[in-house]
């Protein structure tokens, strides 16, 4: 862990969010930063993450989103066409951060382009966001050939062939704060029920780490969320379903708020 | 989508051979977008799918596998030259999009220090415009595309920008990582040739040799035919034939004549 106070603060906030969610699993809404408009998420009218009251993950729109299915990819493309910038997304995160911990999901090239240290400094603005400097994206500025898998900096990579083999190797990552685990091979997107795989997935992740385990990549409904919690997940990530609602609804904040409320209900103890 | 149009004969051949060709609508509908979609499909269906790529790009192991398979052309060309000419070439020249044909022929000559290796990228509308596909030539900074780190065309934030080339195979905003290494180590050099010059070379080689080169290869031919050099023996990798490009080239020539 870096000596930077912001790092500790961020890690502690995330830990506290898991410990104090008051739910059977922490609800982690995943939204595209600045989507559908640059104004809404930063404004007081954007209630979604607050309704979750636990933690939120926010994605940076990216030109070549290898890990994303059609819904998230289209949302990112729409934001980029509208002129979205990395600084704009960081601004959205900073606005949200006083209300709840924000985990920024980001394709690796955005980090490399800015430079790892400068990127992390930007995240630590106002000590509101806690970058995990020990994360895979932060291990030195070079040597990308080894790390350059076609995935997100913190999610499992887009490459699926070594899915089962990855968990045992996780100990090589220095002290992750949070482990996100993919439910199925493939890209982000809503899927039919996968509940029969939840317990096995959680068990595999548990065997490799002591940090909280959050399930994502395919959880779309309150039923899925409850099943993931029942299988022992510490966190439940819902992405494409919310991004789709934000894309389709005339009143995006209300549509997303209602979905999040339904998911939160399903996770009440 | 764009490449199923401008490479229609290749699509027809693949379909005749029994393949299903799925056009990709994303982005500019060209090589980068098709590669991304193929990777997405692969990771989604990884239990019953093999990912097969023809270029030296992609996540680790893939560029090396493609290089080793492609170097058959380099090994055979080297042996043939030694047999017929009794010597190695002064230069080996090949076009570079992702860079597979170039890596395949370079691989056989990398250890031959006296042999110059030249990769020819898409100059598009010109290297002084944003419409090209020449990240190696222009010394663009490193970035990550399709799972490997190499020279890529990107904006200040790290968003990958769209490439442009008259030839589908060179219309790519990156290049295989080993090409970036050959460039940085000084072993190979990279140059750009514009759409216009490639079109002219396409016609020249067709008339002089009776060989219709692929538009991609025509970039390499322009460099060899028109750019002065001390070389007395050049080896050019004829990466493909231009039958697939005929409709596109004839339409362009008609448009220029009109």
């Amino acid at each position: 862990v870096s000596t930077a106070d912001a790092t500790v603060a961020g890690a502690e906030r995330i830990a506290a969010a898991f410990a104090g969610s008051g739910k059977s699993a922490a609800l982690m809404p995943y939204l595209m930063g600045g989507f559908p408009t640059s104004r809404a998420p930063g404004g007081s009218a954007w209630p979604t993450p607050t309704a979750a009251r636990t933690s939120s993950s926010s994605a940076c729109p990216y030109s070549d989103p290898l890990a994303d299915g059609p819904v998230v990819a289209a949302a990112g493309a729409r934001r980029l066409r509208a002129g979205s910038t990395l600084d704009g997304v960081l601004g959205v995160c900073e606005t949200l951060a006083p209300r709840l911990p924000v985990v920024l999901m980001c394709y690796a090239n955005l980090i490399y382009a800015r430079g790892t240290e400068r990127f992390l400094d930007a995240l630590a603005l106002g000590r509101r966001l806690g970058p995990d400097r020990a994360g895979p994206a932060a291990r030195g500025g070079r040597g990308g050939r080894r790390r350059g898998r076609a995935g997100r900096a913190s999610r499992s990579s887009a490459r699926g062939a070594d899915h089962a083999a990855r968990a045992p190797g996780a100990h090589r990552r220095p002290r992750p704060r949070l482990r996100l685990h993919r439910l199925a091979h493939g890209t982000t997107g809503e899927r039919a029920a996968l509940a029969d795989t939840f317990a096995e997935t959680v068990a595999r992740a548990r065997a490799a780490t002591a940090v909280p385990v959050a399930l994502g990549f395919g959880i779309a409904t309150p039923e899925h969320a409850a099943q993931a919690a029942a299988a022992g997940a510490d966190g439940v990530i819902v992405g494409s379903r919310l991004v789709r609602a934000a894309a389709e609804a005339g009143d995006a904040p209300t549509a997303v708020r209602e979905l999040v409320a339904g998911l939160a209900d399903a996770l009440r103890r | 989508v764009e490449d199923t149009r401008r490479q229609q004969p290749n699509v027809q051949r693949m379909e005749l051979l029994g393949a299903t060709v799925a056009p990709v609508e994303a982005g500019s509908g060209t090589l980068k977008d098709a590669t991304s979609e193929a990777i997405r499909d692969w990771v989604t269906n990884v239990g019953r799918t093999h990912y097969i790529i023809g270029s030296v790009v992609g996540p680790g192991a893939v560029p090396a596998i493609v290089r080793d398979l492609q170097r058959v052309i380099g090994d055979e060309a080297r042996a043939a030259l030694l047999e017929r000419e009794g010597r190695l070439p002064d230069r080996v020249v090949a076009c570079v999009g992702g860079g597979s044909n170039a890596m395949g022929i370079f691989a056989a000559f990398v250890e031959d220090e006296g042999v110059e290796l030249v990769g020819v990228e898409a100059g598009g509308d010109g290297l002084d415009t944003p419409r090209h596909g020449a990240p190696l030539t222009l010394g663009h900074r490193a970035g990550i595309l399709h799972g490997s780190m190499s020279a890529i065309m990107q904006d200040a934030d790290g968003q990958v920008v769209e490439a442009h080339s008259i030839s589908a195979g060179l219309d790519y905003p990156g290049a295989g990582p080993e090409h970036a290494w050959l460039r940085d180590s000084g072993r190979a050099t990279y140059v750009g040739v514009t759409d216009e010059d490639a079109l002219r070379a396409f016609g020249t080689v067709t008339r002089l040799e009776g060989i219709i080169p692929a538009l991609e290869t025509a970039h390499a031919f322009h460099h060899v035919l028109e750019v002065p050099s001390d070389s007395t023996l050049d080896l050019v990798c004829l990466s493909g034939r231009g039958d697939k490009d005929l409709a596109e080239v004839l339409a362009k020539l008609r448009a220029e004549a009109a």
Side-chain angles (χ1 to χ4, degrees):
Chain A
V1 177
S2 156
T3 54
D5 289 342
T7 304
V8 176
E12 285 174 353
R13 289 189 72 195
I14 290 171
F18 278 100
S21 76
K23 297 190 175 64
S24 51
L27 177 57
M28 305 169 69
Y30 168 100
L31 292 161
M32 180 64 71
F35 183 81
T37 73
S38 58
R39 183 185 52 80
S44 57
W46 193 248
T48 309
T50 318
R53 291 190 186 287
T54 47
S55 69
S56 172
S57 50
S58 174
C60 290
Y62 184 56
S63 55
D64 206 42
L66 274 188
D68 286 309
V71 170
V72 175
R78 199 167 128 189
R79 282 304 302 147
L80 288 176
R81 279 196 303 275
S84 167
T85 63
L86 181 56
D87 285 327
V89 174
L90 293 177
V92 169
C93 293
E94 197 187 355
T95 308
L96 292 174
R99 285 186 270 166
L100 77 175
V102 177
V103 177
L104 183 66
M105 309 297 291
C106 185
Y107 283 87
N109 198 50
L110 300 178
I111 299 173
Y112 285 114
R114 182 155 297 202
T116 305
E117 283 305 314
R118 279 188 62 211
F119 191 95
L120 294 177
D121 288 345
L123 281 183
L125 279 174
R127 296 186 178 179
R128 284 165 177 167
L129 298 166
D132 179 1
R133 286 174 194 261
R139 283 176 291 165
R142 299 182 69 83
R145 227 175 279 126
R146 291 166 73 83
R147 283 196 315 280
R149 282 203 182 127
R152 296 174 184 280
S154 43
R155 247 185 220 201
S156 295
S157 83
R159 191 157 163 253
D162 58 347
H163 181 61
R166 185 174 297 116
H171 66 275
R172 287 196 302 273
R173 297 188 174 184
R175 302 182 65 182
R177 295 288 155 215
L178 168 68
R179 184 169 177 82
L180 306 179
H181 220 279
R182 205 172 35 174
L183 286 174
H185 293 306
T187 56
T188 56
E190 301 164 50
R191 288 178 174 81
L194 291 161
D196 57 336
T197 67
F198 287 178
E200 180 207 336
T201 304
V202 172
R204 194 165 63 221
R206 284 254 181 277
T209 182
V211 301
V213 174
L215 291 184
F217 273 59
I219 294 181
T221 67
E223 292 71 31
H224 291 167
Q227 288 161 348
D234 301 305
V236 177
I237 306 162
V238 181
S240 289
R241 180 69 192 93
L242 301 180
V243 173
R244 179 161 68 87
E248 292 174 351
D251 180 356
T254 299
V256 175
R257 184 199 298 120
E258 286 172 0
L259 280 171
V260 169
L263 290 160
D265 278 345
L267 293 174
R268 267 183 235 298
R269 289 187 199 278
Chain B
V1 164
E2 168 65 3
D3 284 355
T4 57
R5 183 190 65 75
R6 58 180 175 173
Q7 303 282 274
Q8 185 62 32
N10 283 350
V11 173
Q12 290 164 334
R13 282 194 192 96
M14 287 187 280
E15 288 177 341
L16 275 173
L17 288 164
T20 301
V21 178
V24 174
E25 304 278 351
S28 55
T30 57
L31 180 55
K32 173 178 84 85
D33 311 298
T35 304
S36 297
E37 200 57 35
I39 292 174
R40 289 191 192 102
D41 189 275
W42 176 44
V43 301
T44 302
N45 302 298
V46 68
R48 55 184 175 81
T49 307
H50 292 290
Y51 175 56
I52 301 173
I53 180 166
S55 196
V56 287
V57 302
V62 171
I65 292 168
V66 175
R67 174 203 62 210
D68 289 349
L69 294 174
Q70 293 282 345
R71 78 170 282 166
V72 173
I73 189 77
D75 289 336
E76 292 189 358
R78 190 174 184 280
L81 268 178
L82 287 174
E83 184 187 323
R84 293 186 198 176
E85 303 290 335
R87 58 168 287 200
L88 293 172
D90 291 330
R91 291 193 302 181
V92 178
V93 184
C95 60
V96 177
S100 60
N101 92 91
M103 191 52 63
I105 202 159
F106 286 179
F109 294 92
V110 164
E111 305 296 322
D112 300 317
E113 286 180 13
V115 178
E116 190 184 347
L117 307 177
V118 182
V120 184
E121 291 190 298
D125 288 351
L127 294 178
D128 54 349
T129 77
R131 283 171 53 81
H132 58 77
L136 289 166
T137 302
L138 292 177
H140 283 303
R141 71 184 192 281
I144 297 168
L145 176 62
H146 293 145
S148 57
M149 179 173 269
S150 186
I152 65 172
M153 296 167 61
Q154 57 183 322
D155 70 11
D157 268 356
Q159 305 286 357
V160 181
V161 302
E162 287 178 6
H164 163 79
S165 171
I166 191 174
S167 67
L170 305 191
D171 193 350
Y172 185 70
E178 197 166 348
H179 281 295
W181 182 79
L182 288 175
R183 181 197 65 181
D184 291 351
S185 67
R187 181 63 190 90
T189 54
Y190 296 83
V191 298
V193 165
T194 63
D195 289 354
E196 189 183 347
D197 287 339
L199 259 181
R200 196 178 316 111
F202 181 94
T204 303
V205 173
T206 300
R207 282 191 299 276
L208 291 181
E209 298 289 339
I211 294 170
I212 305 173
L215 268 176
E216 289 82 358
T217 322
H219 289 72
F221 275 121
H222 172 84
H223 185 72
V224 167
L225 294 173
E226 304 294 341
V227 179
S229 153
D230 294 333
S231 171
T232 57
L233 182 60
D234 287 322
L235 173 63
V236 180
C237 188
L238 188 70
S239 62
R241 50 188 199 182
D243 308 55
K244 68 180 177 66
D245 297 314
L246 273 184
E248 192 72 357
V249 168
L250 293 176
K252 287 247 183 299
L253 295 178
R254 270 197 304 273
E256 280 176 20

